[in-house]
């Protein structure tokens, strides 16, 4: 396997598990991951939030950890990366307002590079207008945005994932095993122990 270089776009109150677990998993299998945030540089931190499913009508939210960025957002260029990863949480609702975030997502899609998005990450995909005629999963509250962007919302179990071309999406962090396996497949990653 040749190691791949992955760009991960995060922001304050990115979902903790959806940020930390993919970051560490991708490093563990030999890939490199540049974690970036608009208006922040390598060494800066973002606050994370833990979303939990406790039987209420929606998820609960608790303060998570501080996640240290290891690259500068201002230097991120699609040609320097093999794939893009977008965690969920509250960050996507405001990151989708950043024109450069949207341009990066479009450029990754236009280059047919793998894009993994989980939970509310679909809000960024919808804002980038790359979902037309695509089957996409997301947290159920994002289903209207997927549909309004011309996509088909994949109504799958919370621990399942959906692959459509270069996109791998999932409803939330319980889907990590299938979502990350799908992303690793798109990255042509062979894991041996």
């Amino acid at each position: 396997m040749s190691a791949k270089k992955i760009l991960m776009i995060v922001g304050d109150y990115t979902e903790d598990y959806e940020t930390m677990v993919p970051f560490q998993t991708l490093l563990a299998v030999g890939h490199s991951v540049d974690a970036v945030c608009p208006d922040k540089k390598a060494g800066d931190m973002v606050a994370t939030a833990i979303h939990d499913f406790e039987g209420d009508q929606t998820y609960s939210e608790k303060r998570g950890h501080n996640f240290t960025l290891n690259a500068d957002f201002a230097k991120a260029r699609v040609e320097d990366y093999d794939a893009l990863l977008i965690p969920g949480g509250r960050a996507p609702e405001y990151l989708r307002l950043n024109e450069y975030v949207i341009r990066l997502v479009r450029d990754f899609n236009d280059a047919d590079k793998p894009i993994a998005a989980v939970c509310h990450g679909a809000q960024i995909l919808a804002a980038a207008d790359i979902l037309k005629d695509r089957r996409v999963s997301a947290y159920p509250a994002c289903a209207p945005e997927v549909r309004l962007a011309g996509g088909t919302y994949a109504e799958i179990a919370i621990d399942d994932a959906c692959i459509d071309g270069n996109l791998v999406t999932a409803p939330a962090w319980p889907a990590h095993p299938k979502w990350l396996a799908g992303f690793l497949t798109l990255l042509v990653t062979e894991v041996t122990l």
Side-chain angles (χ1 to χ4, degrees):
M1 168 197 100
S2 68
K4 300 291 193 310
K5 189 169 181 185
I6 298 148
L7 180 66
M8 182 168 72
I9 301 175
V10 299
D12 283 318
Y13 296 99
T14 184
E15 209 288 327
D16 191 276
Y17 299 156
E18 295 169 2
T19 303
M20 303 264 191
V21 173
F23 182 80
Q24 293 171 340
T25 299
L26 293 165
L27 293 177
V29 300
H31 297 308
S32 65
V33 182
D34 282 358
V36 300
C37 175
D39 303 319
K40 295 193 181 200
K41 297 181 176 135
D44 290 347
M45 288 186 257
V46 294
T48 70
I50 297 170
H51 290 172
D52 211 349
F53 307 99
E54 301 174 296
D56 299 311
Q57 290 178 322
T58 190
Y59 57 86
S60 62
E61 184 174 77
K62 299 159 188 73
R63 176 69 163 85
H65 300 89
N66 290 325
F67 179 77
T68 303
L69 305 169
N70 63 356
D72 297 346
F73 177 80
K75 296 178 183 175
R77 304 286 178 267
V78 69
E79 56 270 13
D80 296 332
Y81 296 95
D82 298 299
L84 174 65
L85 191 140
I86 305 170
R90 280 195 287 135
E93 75 182 31
Y94 66 85
L95 288 175
R96 64 185 166 167
L97 302 175
N98 184 296
E99 290 181 29
Y100 192 62
V101 167
I102 297 305
R103 188 170 353 139
L104 279 170
V105 173
R106 286 181 183 152
D107 289 348
F108 272 94
N109 190 64
D110 290 347
D112 201 34
K113 293 184 178 187
I115 300 173
V118 63
C119 200
H120 287 76
Q123 291 178 310
I124 293 175
L125 302 179
D129 197 26
I130 65 165
L131 298 184
K132 186 167 176 44
D133 300 324
R134 306 293 292 274
R135 186 170 181 265
V136 178
S137 180
Y139 189 69
C142 298
E145 290 171 82
V146 169
R147 291 181 181 120
L148 287 168
T152 299
Y153 178 71
E155 294 190 35
I156 58 177
I158 198 163
D159 61 352
D160 205 355
C162 176
I163 297 178
D164 186 332
N166 66 319
L167 293 180
V168 59
T169 54
W173 59 261
H176 278 344
K178 290 184 180 176
W179 178 62
L180 289 171
F183 192 43
L184 291 171
T185 298
L186 291 179
L187 292 170
V188 192
T189 304
E190 188 176 315
V191 178
T192 57
L193 298 175

